[in-house]
Structure formats: C-alpha cells, structure tokens
Amino acid sequence: MIDNIGFILGTTLMYSTPLIFAALGGVISENSGVVNIGLEGMMTLGALVGATVGYFTGNPWLGLLCAGLAGGLLAILHAIASITFGADQVVSGIAINFLGPGIALFLSRIFFEGATMTKSIDLDNKIPRPLDGIFQQNSFFDLVFNQYATVYIALLLVFIVWYMLYKTKLGLRIRAVGEHPKAADTLGINIYKIRYFSVILSGIFAGFGGAAMSLAVVSNFRPTLISGQGFIALAAMIFGKWKPQGAMWACLLFGAAQGIVVFLGSTAISISSQILAMLPYIITLLVLIGFVGKSAGPAANGVPYEKGER
Amino acid sequence: MKNKKNSLKEMLFSGNFTITLISILLGLAVGAIALKIAGYSPIEAYSVILNGIFGKPKYISYTIIYATPLIMTGLSVAFAFKTGLFNIGAEGQFIVGALVATLVGYFVKLPIVLHAIVVFAAAITAAGIWGAVAGFLKARFGVHEVIATIMLNWIALYLNNYVIMLEGFKRPNSEASYKIWDTATVGILEKWRYTDAGRVWLKAHPILQSIFKTPINLGIICAILLAVLVWFILSKTTLGYELRAVGSNKYAAEYGGINVNKSIIISMSIAGALAGAAGAMQVMGISKQVSILAAMEGYGFDGIAVSLIGSNGAFGCIFAGLLFGALKYGGPKIQSAMGAPSEIVSIVMGTIVYFIAMPKFIKMLLDARKRKEVK
C-alpha cells in the first residue's frame, strides 16, 4: 500500500515537472501583462531541440540549455508582435502554436532522415537522477525521491520565480507593468523592456518544460509528445491565480491525475482511465466558477500598451 | 461606373483585404526561405504543391473535401469573433458533433434522407449545447471563454474516448466505433459507382470518373449553405444585430437594452453548432465512424486560422478554408515528390496568422513604400 502511494507520488512529480516549467513561464509573462497562449508551441520546439541536441552531443544539459534558447527565440516573435506592434496577443499565440510544432517537425525531418520521431537517447545520456542509489531500491523513499534532476530544478525554480516576483525590484516592476502600465510608465519604468524580458523568459521556461519531457520523462521527441501540455500549463497558471506557488500546486494536481491513471493502468482496478483523465479539467472549471471569480488576473493582462496613450 | 470602380479599388487596396493578401504572400515567402535553408528548391516545391492541388480533377475534389470541415470550424470561430468572443473550443465542439452523429447514425434506424437529417440535427444540437456551456460559464460566472473552451476541448476528447470504449458501440478488435448505417451517410452516389451501370457510365466520362474516386459528399454544399446562413443571421436579422452590438461594445449594447448575458450564450451555442456541423459532416461523408483520439486532430485550431485569414467574414471563411484545405492536401506531396518536410504547411499557415495578428506592421510596410514613391 505504502509502495503504491510512493509510486503515485513519484509519477505525479515526474509528470508535473514539464507543466511546472511552462506554467512558471506563463506566470512571468502574464504578470507583465502579456497573455501567452503560445506556451504549447514553445514547449514543442523545446522538446525537439532538447532531444536533438541531447542525441547528437550526448550531453543532456546542453540539450536542456538549447531547448530553453529555442523557446526563447520563438518567444521573441510573440514579443515583437504583441509588445511592439500591439497585436492581439491570443491571435499571436495561436500563430506561435502553428509555428512551434511546424518548425519542430520540419527540423526533425531534416536531422533524422525524414522521421518526425527523433532517435532515442541512451539511458546514460538522459537527465541524471541525483539521488539514485541513496535509498533502497523500490522502497517508498526511492519511489518518491529518486527523480530526474529536472524535477528538483523545477521545484527550485518555483521558489526563485516567487522570490523574483515578490521580493525584488525587478519583480515589482513586472507586476506594476502588468497591473497598471500607465502608472509604471510615469515612474520611468521601461514597459517595453520589462515585457520583452518577461515574454522571452517565459519562452525559455516553456522550452525547458518541453525538454524536461523529451530528455527525462521519455527519451526522444515525437509529434504527440507535448499534445496539449502547454494548454494544461496555461490552465494551471490560471487555476493557481497567476502565482508561481499556486501554479505549482495546480500542476501537481494535473500530474497526480496522470499518476493515478498510470497506476490504475498497472493494476486490475477498472475505473475508466478516460474519466479520470477528464477530472483535472472539470476540477479546473469548477474552481474557476467557485473561487477565482471575475477579477483575478493582472489588470492589464492582454492589453497592448502604447506609449502616450491616454 | 467610375464610382463603383473606386470602391472596388478601395476594397482591394485598403483595409483587411490588403493585409490578408500581404500576410499570405509573406507566409509563402517565409515557407520558401525555410525550404531554401533546408536545401530544397522552393520553386520546385511550390510547383509540386500547385500541381498536387490542380493537376487532376481528383486532386481538386480532394482539396474541397479537405477544406470542407475547415470552412465550417472557421465559420464557428468567425461567428463568435463577430460577437466579441474567442471560440478556441471549436475542436471540442467538432468532437462532440462527430460523436453524437455516430451514436445517432448507428443506434437509430430511420429511412434514408430522414435519418441523415435527424443525425445532423442531433449532432449540431449537442455541439451547440457544448458551446453554450462555455457561454454560460462566461455569462454567469465570468470564466473567460478561452480558458473554458480549452478545458471543454479536453473533456470532449476524453468523453469521446470513453464512449467509444463502451460495450455495444466499440467495434471488436479496433480502436473505433461501429460504422453508421448507410441511411445516415451523405456521400454522393457512393453505391452506384460500383454497380455495373455506374462503372460503364463512369468509364465514358473520365473527368467524373476521376472525381468519383474520391469520397465526395454533400459536405461542401452544407458548408456553403451554412456560410450563407451565418451571413444572413449576422447582417439581416435582429438577433445578428444584437449579437454584433454586444461584440463591438458590450456596455453600449447593454445600455441599448440588449441582454448581454443571453447574447453570449446564444452566440456560443451557434458557434458550437457550426463546429458540430463540421464534425457531423466529417462522419456522415467521410469516416462513417469515430475513433479513439490520442491527440487533438486540429480542426478547431485550423478553424481559428481560417477565420482570421477570412477576416472573420462568412464568405471569407470559404476562401480561407479552400486555401488551407489546398495547402493541407497539396503540401504533404512535396514529401513524396522531393523528400522535403511537409510541415512547411504549418510554418506557412503560422506565418500568415502571425502577420494577420499585427496589422500595424503591414501598414508600416505599406507606408514605407508610399513614402518612397513620394520621394
């Protein structure tokens, strides 16, 4: 029994990690007032780049880094459109969601002889598990804590983003720009710069999230690898009321649903996994109905800012 | 006469149309650059695609078949857009429409024609309700429709998979449901093609023979009728006027005595019904069944692109849908013909949507050109 709980907790952590990275990206971008529906596209590109670089160099860390860069590059497009040219941010995000997977599969076909699935990375060249071998194999602690390094990085990042947003001057500026850009402008804060920084950082995190999937949870990239996780991260961010710690809990909830589905798949219990898979989305809707209410997001979220506008 | 010409010129060279046209050109240009970088000849690739779309009557027919569901999901997104709502849920509404069409097409037994009508009506009603849920959540609880519809998409996907797995509906040894009865299908002369008389007749008419090799069906006619209906509702009826009023200014509409909350729900349910029609037609005309979905099929997302490229207009959606359908059908042919990645289609579409998202950029480009001319 305790082992089963350990298994579920461990699987939860593993599946939550890519979501946490991407959701943190969403938190930063949306706190600065830029809606980022493009997380999905950025994750997909990150997953491909991570797996590709990881495969060819044999170095997962380089893969992770390049995945972040790729996500950041794609985010620059979103930033240019939505910050400099006052584009509809949702529409721009939709474009990113066409471009990200499009570019990812395009590159995959070029690097892997026309295949949309990258070659598998050797188990030794995946993201390492720092606590491997410390606990007795398949004991409760081993099942829960023997995780890929990305899991711990993600959890650490939650703290770092929280600290940055609420304890530093930069964070204050990001939130000011998202709440009341005009007031921030009056105080001499460069709104465009802050928003560019936030959106690019969100792309980098989303890229990490994609790579956390392709370099740790599995060991290659395939077209359906991300399928919707960017959107789930987006939902988790809203579920978590645009706060890093809230987003983390929401991601853990989504991950737990996944963990339970995997667990039930390994047993003979016949609760439909399809119904279980539905639950996080239903819960999110219920929570949005009951608790979040009408005005929870940053006030200027989604509104393009133009200097000199009155 | 001169006046008319002016207005035509105005229509062509100002506003949405120019922006769309330039965006499409930029999209194709970016696609060409990507192909070039990857080491393929863009000219060869585009001519393969063009030939793949127009080369044979069969190809044209397939293009239309590919475009049909996209036109309808495009109409769904466009309808919501006109009323100030962003329907990202066309995907889920499509799934619900397809699922209910299959359920009614298999479990209900009715005479031909009547059965098809009942199947279609049931599917669009169910999808309409699915859309209305998002509208209701927004109207009653202020849940943003983008988030609500994303959640509903995933709920629809798993619901679809759950229902297909149910005993009595799942076809043994498959990942799909039973097929719908022939009485519920909308294929054109599907049975006749394989009769002796049909074979002889088709042999004498090679163009039609080529076309009848494809699963042609009444879907495209349905799509065009729906486009007319959308145009009619939006521009000729009081309901359409009210919905558009809410779309352009919610507060003014409310002041003018329009029930904004009711409008939101009605609008989302009509949008849902339109996307559901796409799902129903896909089942009744092409697949005859629903299958387990591992991931979203993308009809809804493609619909967003179609709607944007069509400037959210009913007839714009037909052209944008045909453009997208052509790219989707003709694009992958570069894979077999020259080994070039077919994902170029997503890149081209993404670029088009990207530039349409920022009309300011295009206007800047145009202004820069004008200034040069003045100099």
Side-chain angles (χ1 to χ4, degrees):
Chain A
M1 182 63 199
I2 188 102
D3 283 358
N4 288 342
I5 293 172
F7 176 81
I8 292 174
L9 287 177
T11 325
T12 298
L13 281 172
M14 186 172 84
Y15 280 112
S16 307
T17 299
L19 297 175
I20 292 176
F21 278 114
L24 285 177
V27 165
I28 296 172
S29 172
E30 304 225 350
N31 268 287
S32 81
V34 181
V35 169
N36 193 351
I37 275 200
L39 288 174
E40 171 88 8
M42 298 171 193
M43 272 184 100
T44 310
L45 187 61
L48 176 274
V49 170
T52 306
V53 174
Y55 174 77
F56 284 112
T57 63
N59 185 338
W61 299 112
L62 199 62
L64 189 68
L65 204 68
C66 290
L69 282 178
L73 279 175
L74 201 53
I76 291 178
L77 285 183
H78 184 50
I80 292 173
S82 51
I83 302 165
T84 306
F85 290 104
D88 184 314
Q89 297 169 4
V90 176
V91 177
S92 168
I94 299 277
I96 298 292
N97 285 339
F98 274 107
L99 286 172
I103 297 170
L105 294 176
F106 188 86
L107 292 176
S108 171
R109 285 196 199 267
I110 288 171
F111 286 117
F112 294 91
E113 295 115 36
T116 52
M117 210 163 132
T118 68
K119 287 190 179 135
S120 281
I121 298 162
D122 284 343
L123 282 184
D124 297 337
N125 289 340
K126 280 175 72 172
I127 296 275
R129 299 167 183 257
L131 303 182
D132 199 19
I134 290 182
F135 306 105
Q136 196 192 342
Q137 222 172 22
N138 286 330
S139 66
F140 175 77
F141 288 106
D142 186 58
L143 286 168
V144 178
F145 294 110
N146 185 9
Q147 299 287 348
Y148 295 104
T150 36
V151 174
Y152 299 102
I153 297 171
L155 295 175
L156 191 67
L157 212 54
V158 173
F159 176 76
I160 293 173
V161 171
W162 171 82
Y163 187 85
M164 183 187 82
L165 273 182
Y166 300 106
K167 302 288 164 191
T168 66
K169 210 157 89 181
L170 177 66
L172 185 66
R173 286 183 174 175
I174 291 175
R175 286 183 294 132
V177 166
E179 278 300 331
H180 204 317
K182 270 178 227 174
D185 201 358
T186 323
L187 292 172
I189 297 173
N190 187 336
I191 290 161
Y192 297 99
K193 226 160 117 185
I194 295 279
R195 285 194 170 169
Y196 261 92
F197 169 81
S198 306
V199 171
I200 293 170
L201 198 60
S202 85
I204 293 174
F205 284 5
F208 285 161
M213 197 73 201
S214 66
L215 284 168
V217 179
V218 297
S219 51
N220 70 346
F221 170 86
R222 45 181 178 266
T224 55
L225 184 65
I226 299 302
S227 65
Q229 297 203 58
F231 288 110
I232 298 170
L234 196 79
M237 175 205 70
I238 292 164
F239 194 177
K241 297 185 184 181
W242 287 266
K243 291 193 173 82
Q245 68 277 29
M248 177 193 74
W249 290 116
C251 290
L252 286 171
L253 175 74
F254 278 102
Q258 188 78 26
I260 293 171
V261 169
V262 174
F263 171 72
L264 291 180
S266 66
T267 63
I269 301 171
S270 63
I271 299 175
S272 165
S273 65
Q274 308 292 348
I275 296 284
L276 263 174
M278 228 185 267
L279 276 179
Y281 306 100
I282 295 174
I283 294 172
T284 306
L285 276 180
L286 291 177
V287 168
L288 288 174
I289 290 167
F291 301 103
V292 176
K294 291 199 181 194
S295 56
N301 201 8
V303 188
Y305 182 72
E306 261 182 81
K307 225 174 156 64
E309 198 181 71
R310 261 161 246 286
Chain B
M1 194 63 201
K2 204 187 166 203
N3 212 353
K4 205 177 176 185
K5 205 177 165 191
N6 261 349
S7 69
L8 182 72
K9 198 181 169 191
E10 251 168 49
M11 201 189 87
L12 286 178
F13 292 100
S14 72
N16 282 341
F17 188 78
T18 323
I19 289 171
T20 306
L21 204 64
I22 292 177
S23 300
I24 292 173
L25 291 177
L26 284 169
L28 291 171
V30 168
I33 293 168
L35 282 167
K36 188 86 197 157
I37 292 172
Y40 301 98
S41 156
I43 296 172
E44 196 192 336
Y46 281 136
S47 56
V48 166
I49 293 175
L50 274 178
N51 186 47
I53 299 165
F54 298 108
K56 285 183 191 167
K58 187 173 96 176
Y59 297 165
I60 297 174
S61 177
Y62 263 121
T63 296
I64 292 169
I65 289 168
Y66 271 61
T68 302
L70 305 183
I71 294 171
M72 288 191 259
T73 51
L75 284 172
S76 163
V77 179
F79 192 90
F81 254 129
K82 284 276 183 201
T83 60
L85 295 162
F86 203 157
N87 181 22
I88 293 200
E91 193 78 48
Q93 296 145 10
F94 180 100
I95 294 173
V96 170
L99 178 64
V100 170
T102 315
L103 285 168
V104 178
Y106 174 66
F107 286 111
V108 177
K109 281 169 197 164
L110 284 170
I112 196 160
V113 180
L114 182 66
H115 195 187
I117 292 170
V118 169
V119 166
F120 186 71
I124 63 170
T125 306
I129 292 170
W130 200 257
V133 170
F136 173 74
L137 293 178
K138 181 176 179 104
R140 176 76 178 75
F141 300 104
V143 178
H144 200 288
E145 76 275 12
V146 166
I147 299 309
T149 50
I150 289 175
M151 297 298 109
L152 286 167
N153 283 348
W154 290 98
I155 296 171
L157 180 121
Y158 291 115
L159 183 71
N160 174 73
N161 291 356
Y162 174 73
V163 173
I164 290 172
M165 294 302 282
L166 291 178
E167 199 89 18
F169 191 44
K170 182 179 179 294
R171 195 146 38 94
N173 305 319
S174 78
E175 293 264 277
S177 69
Y178 279 109
K179 297 213 171 201
I180 59 173
W181 296 101
D182 284 341
T183 45
T185 58
V186 292
I188 296 173
L189 301 175
E190 248 171 327
K191 286 269 140 56
W192 174 80
R193 287 177 216 176
Y194 301 105
T195 60
D196 286 338
R199 277 174 217 263
V200 170
W201 194 86
L202 281 175
K203 209 156 203 175
H205 299 80
I207 292 179
L208 285 173
Q209 190 183 26
S210 175
I211 289 174
F212 274 117
K213 275 185 187 149
T214 68
I216 55 164
N217 59 76
L218 298 175
I220 186 66
I221 294 167
C222 172
I224 292 168
L225 288 177
L226 287 175
V228 174
L229 188 68
V230 164
W231 167 81
F232 184 79
I233 291 176
L234 282 175
S235 52
K236 299 284 167 197
T237 64
T238 319
L239 172 72
Y241 170 76
E242 290 188 355
L243 295 178
R244 279 187 296 127
V246 173
S248 49
N249 189 333
K250 203 164 90 175
Y251 303 102
E254 190 148 38
Y255 187 72
I258 296 169
N259 186 338
V260 171
N261 283 344
K262 202 176 113 193
S263 291
I264 290 173
I265 298 173
I266 291 177
S267 174
M268 280 306 287
S269 65
I270 294 177
L274 287 165
M281 277 295 148
Q282 204 65 1
V283 166
M284 295 161 81
I286 315 262
S287 67
K288 318 280 161 71
Q289 61 178 28
V290 278
S291 318
I292 298 279
L293 298 170
M296 294 288 176
E297 290 176 293
Y299 290 111
F301 285 102
D302 295 348
I304 298 171
V306 166
S307 169
L308 291 166
I309 294 170
S311 304
N312 304 328
F315 300 113
C317 282
I318 297 180
F319 291 107
L322 285 171
L323 171 76
F324 203 164
L327 280 172
K328 267 193 119 168
Y329 174 65
K333 290 186 176 176
I334 59 173
Q335 190 90 42
S336 50
M338 49 195 286
S342 56
E343 279 69 29
I344 201 72
V345 173
S346 307
I347 296 176
V348 170
M349 287 313 287
T351 312
I352 297 174
V353 173
Y354 182 69
F355 284 114
I356 283 178
M358 41 180 198
K360 262 192 197 170
F361 174 78
I362 308 249
K363 278 183 189 136
M364 210 180 73
L365 279 183
L366 291 174
D367 285 350
R369 221 192 63 191
K370 262 185 209 151
R371 240 175 277 142
K372 241 185 205 167
E373 275 171 17
V374 170
K375 269 178 191 171

